[in-house]
Amino acid sequence: PVFAGMNGSAIENFSCVIYNISLMNCTWQPGRDAPGDTQYFLYWQNSRNTYDDAMECELYIKDENGRNTGCMFQNVRIEPEKAYFLVNGSSKDALIQFYDEYIQLYKIEKLMPPSNITVNCDEIKNDCIIQWQQPQISHSNKDNCFKYEINIKYK
């Protein structure tokens, strides 16, 4: 499809990550041929409710020129459907192309480490019991999502 707007004006290198259960951080770079006054705006929606209007970013991350190059979201819920992201731009000098992408949110979740790790060693039996709590995960509470690897270094 041919998008209206100046070639090379759409954002580049768009990516998002979800961490700490419900925080999402998205970043991008201004289009390499976009005029210097171009400002970008991010909208997204969990496409489950297509009736809902897309939400605009509430907390933009800005570069040294005051251009929006990222966004922080709080209280993000991971739904099974793909989420829709749209970044459009405006400039006095040119029409700016938009960028859009569908993302499966669970694929961009950065998992928390296991917590409450305890190690109990018995010198007589010559063994150790290592226990931990499964990290919290926003899209599932299934134990079978996790595989663990223990790396023991002797000093």
Side-chain angles (χ1 to χ4, degrees), residues 126-147:
N126 204 18
D127 67 9
C128 292
I129 294 172
I130 303 171
Q131 290 176 300
W132 60 86
Q133 251 180 327
Q134 175 185 313
Q136 265 188 293
I137 179 172
S138 59
H139 63 274
S140 165
N141 289 318
K142 296 189 180 76
D143 291 335
N144 62 6
C145 289
F146 292 93
K147 287 183 179 167

Tab-separated table of all heavy atoms in Angstrom, residues 126-147:
chain	number	residue	atom	x	y	z
A	126	ASN	N	25.949	-34.381	52.601
A	126	ASN	CA	26.631	-33.867	51.408
A	126	ASN	C	25.645	-33.485	50.301
A	126	ASN	O	25.834	-33.810	49.141
A	126	ASN	CB	27.649	-34.902	50.894
A	126	ASN	CG	28.746	-34.225	50.091
A	126	ASN	OD1	28.938	-33.012	50.199
A	126	ASN	ND2	29.452	-34.984	49.281
A	127	ASP	N	24.542	-32.816	50.696
A	127	ASP	CA	23.592	-32.357	49.670
A	127	ASP	C	23.029	-30.980	50.041
A	127	ASP	O	23.199	-30.511	51.164
A	127	ASP	CB	22.472	-33.376	49.446
A	127	ASP	CG	21.550	-33.518	50.655
A	127	ASP	OD1	21.666	-32.714	51.606
A	127	ASP	OD2	20.716	-34.434	50.649
A	128	CYS	N	22.402	-30.369	49.067
A	128	CYS	CA	21.781	-29.053	49.276
A	128	CYS	C	20.368	-29.073	48.715
A	128	CYS	O	20.109	-29.708	47.693
A	128	CYS	CB	22.572	-27.956	48.560
A	128	CYS	SG	24.197	-27.651	49.246
A	129	ILE	N	19.484	-28.365	49.392
A	129	ILE	CA	18.136	-28.165	48.860
A	129	ILE	C	18.004	-26.682	48.506
A	129	ILE	O	18.207	-25.809	49.356
A	129	ILE	CB	17.060	-28.569	49.888
A	129	ILE	CG1	17.138	-30.089	50.138
A	129	ILE	CG2	15.668	-28.176	49.386
A	129	ILE	CD1	16.252	-30.547	51.275
A	130	ILE	N	17.693	-26.435	47.259
A	130	ILE	CA	17.522	-25.058	46.784
A	130	ILE	C	16.052	-24.877	46.433
A	130	ILE	O	15.484	-25.684	45.688
A	130	ILE	CB	18.398	-24.791	45.545
A	130	ILE	CG1	19.875	-25.075	45.884
A	130	ILE	CG2	18.216	-23.357	45.059
A	130	ILE	CD1	20.790	-25.055	44.672
A	131	GLN	N	15.437	-23.822	46.972
A	131	GLN	CA	14.014	-23.577	46.694
A	131	GLN	C	13.828	-22.130	46.266
A	131	GLN	O	14.589	-21.249	46.651
A	131	GLN	CB	13.172	-23.856	47.944
A	131	GLN	CG	13.110	-25.331	48.301
A	131	GLN	CD	12.340	-25.560	49.594
A	131	GLN	OE1	12.735	-25.047	50.637
A	131	GLN	NE2	11.263	-26.312	49.508
A	132	TRP	N	12.779	-21.888	45.490
A	132	TRP	CA	12.462	-20.528	45.053
A	132	TRP	C	10.990	-20.434	44.721
A	132	TRP	O	10.312	-21.442	44.557
A	132	TRP	CB	13.304	-20.148	43.828
A	132	TRP	CG	13.100	-21.044	42.644
A	132	TRP	CD1	12.145	-20.936	41.689
A	132	TRP	CD2	13.867	-22.207	42.314
A	132	TRP	NE1	12.267	-21.946	40.775
A	132	TRP	CE2	13.317	-22.747	41.136
A	132	TRP	CE3	14.976	-22.834	42.902
A	132	TRP	CZ2	13.829	-23.884	40.534
A	132	TRP	CZ3	15.483	-23.966	42.292
A	132	TRP	CH2	14.915	-24.489	41.123
A	133	GLN	N	10.525	-19.188	44.613
A	133	GLN	CA	9.141	-18.943	44.222
A	133	GLN	C	9.109	-18.556	42.755
A	133	GLN	O	9.949	-17.780	42.291
A	133	GLN	CB	8.547	-17.812	45.057
A	133	GLN	CG	7.518	-18.303	46.044
A	133	GLN	CD	6.968	-17.139	46.836
A	133	GLN	OE1	7.662	-16.166	47.114
A	133	GLN	NE2	5.721	-17.221	47.198
A	134	GLN	N	8.123	-19.095	42.073
A	134	GLN	CA	7.959	-18.773	40.656
A	134	GLN	C	7.735	-17.270	40.504
A	134	GLN	O	7.009	-16.670	41.286
A	134	GLN	CB	6.729	-19.529	40.144
A	134	GLN	CG	6.361	-19.189	38.721
A	134	GLN	CD	5.073	-19.884	38.322
A	134	GLN	OE1	4.902	-21.055	38.557
A	134	GLN	NE2	4.175	-19.138	37.725
A	135	PRO	N	8.354	-16.657	39.495
A	135	PRO	CA	8.110	-15.215	39.294
A	135	PRO	C	6.667	-14.968	38.903
A	135	PRO	O	6.010	-15.841	38.346
A	135	PRO	CB	9.051	-14.857	38.143
A	135	PRO	CG	9.389	-16.140	37.488
A	135	PRO	CD	9.285	-17.206	38.520
A	136	GLN	N	6.199	-13.775	39.235
A	136	GLN	CA	4.856	-13.398	38.791
A	136	GLN	C	4.876	-13.198	37.293
A	136	GLN	O	5.872	-12.739	36.721
A	136	GLN	CB	4.440	-12.095	39.457
A	136	GLN	CG	3.633	-12.276	40.709
A	136	GLN	CD	3.121	-10.927	41.166
A	136	GLN	OE1	3.894	-10.069	41.559
A	136	GLN	NE2	1.828	-10.732	41.086
A	137	ILE	N	3.775	-13.529	36.670
A	137	ILE	CA	3.684	-13.377	35.222
A	137	ILE	C	2.278	-12.870	34.921
A	137	ILE	O	1.311	-13.325	35.514
A	137	ILE	CB	4.001	-14.721	34.521
A	137	ILE	CG1	3.894	-14.602	33.021
A	137	ILE	CG2	3.112	-15.829	35.022
A	137	ILE	CD1	4.397	-15.846	32.307
A	138	SER	N	2.176	-11.887	34.041
A	138	SER	CA	0.884	-11.232	33.908
A	138	SER	C	-0.105	-12.022	33.071
A	138	SER	O	-1.291	-11.958	33.300
A	138	SER	CB	1.078	-9.852	33.294
A	138	SER	OG	1.684	-9.994	32.044
A	139	HIS	N	0.358	-12.805	32.093
A	139	HIS	CA	-0.608	-13.405	31.182
A	139	HIS	C	-0.963	-14.841	31.518
A	139	HIS	O	-1.767	-15.438	30.850
A	139	HIS	CB	-0.104	-13.327	29.734
A	139	HIS	CG	1.155	-14.098	29.482
A	139	HIS	ND1	2.389	-13.558	29.712
A	139	HIS	CD2	1.362	-15.350	29.036
A	139	HIS	CE1	3.307	-14.449	29.402
A	139	HIS	NE2	2.717	-15.543	29.004
A	140	SER	N	-0.350	-15.397	32.559
A	140	SER	CA	-0.635	-16.795	32.856
A	140	SER	C	-0.097	-17.140	34.220
A	140	SER	O	0.895	-16.596	34.660
A	140	SER	CB	0.033	-17.680	31.803
A	140	SER	OG	0.067	-19.007	32.257
A	141	ASN	N	-0.771	-18.046	34.899
A	141	ASN	CA	-0.220	-18.537	36.163
A	141	ASN	C	0.155	-20.005	36.042
A	141	ASN	O	0.237	-20.720	37.019
A	141	ASN	CB	-1.238	-18.348	37.286
A	141	ASN	CG	-1.395	-16.879	37.629
A	141	ASN	OD1	-0.402	-16.167	37.690
A	141	ASN	ND2	-2.614	-16.434	37.814
A	142	LYS	N	0.339	-20.458	34.851
A	142	LYS	CA	0.641	-21.868	34.646
A	142	LYS	C	2.108	-22.146	34.964
A	142	LYS	O	2.999	-21.480	34.464
A	142	LYS	CB	0.364	-22.254	33.190
A	142	LYS	CG	-1.109	-22.127	32.809
A	142	LYS	CD	-1.324	-22.742	31.439
A	142	LYS	CE	-2.774	-22.644	31.022
A	142	LYS	NZ	-3.150	-21.307	30.594
A	143	ASP	N	2.325	-23.155	35.815
A	143	ASP	CA	3.699	-23.527	36.152
A	143	ASP	C	4.465	-24.006	34.931
A	143	ASP	O	5.672	-23.872	34.849
A	143	ASP	CB	3.695	-24.663	37.190
A	143	ASP	CG	3.181	-24.166	38.530
A	143	ASP	OD1	3.301	-22.952	38.765
A	143	ASP	OD2	2.671	-24.981	39.310
A	144	ASN	N	3.751	-24.594	33.972
A	144	ASN	CA	4.480	-25.221	32.866
A	144	ASN	C	5.054	-24.207	31.883
A	144	ASN	O	5.653	-24.584	30.889
A	144	ASN	CB	3.593	-26.244	32.143
A	144	ASN	CG	2.359	-25.612	31.522
A	144	ASN	OD1	2.221	-24.386	31.544
A	144	ASN	ND2	1.463	-26.428	31.001
A	145	CYS	N	4.878	-22.915	32.174
A	145	CYS	CA	5.514	-21.902	31.329
A	145	CYS	C	7.007	-21.803	31.640
A	145	CYS	O	7.747	-21.175	30.911
A	145	CYS	CB	4.897	-20.525	31.562
A	145	CYS	SG	3.242	-20.365	30.915
A	146	PHE	N	7.426	-22.355	32.762
A	146	PHE	CA	8.771	-22.080	33.250
A	146	PHE	C	9.666	-23.302	33.228
A	146	PHE	O	9.249	-24.399	33.590
A	146	PHE	CB	8.714	-21.548	34.683
A	146	PHE	CG	8.093	-20.187	34.776
A	146	PHE	CD1	6.736	-20.043	35.016
A	146	PHE	CD2	8.849	-19.055	34.593
A	146	PHE	CE1	6.160	-18.797	35.082
A	146	PHE	CE2	8.285	-17.799	34.661
A	146	PHE	CZ	6.937	-17.671	34.903
A	147	LYS	N	10.901	-23.072	32.810
A	147	LYS	CA	11.962	-24.057	32.988
A	147	LYS	C	13.067	-23.317	33.719
A	147	LYS	O	13.336	-22.156	33.428
A	147	LYS	CB	12.481	-24.561	31.647
A	147	LYS	CG	11.525	-25.479	30.935
A	147	LYS	CD	12.118	-25.996	29.650
A	147	LYS	CE	11.111	-26.936	28.987
A	147	LYS	NZ	11.480	-27.233	27.611
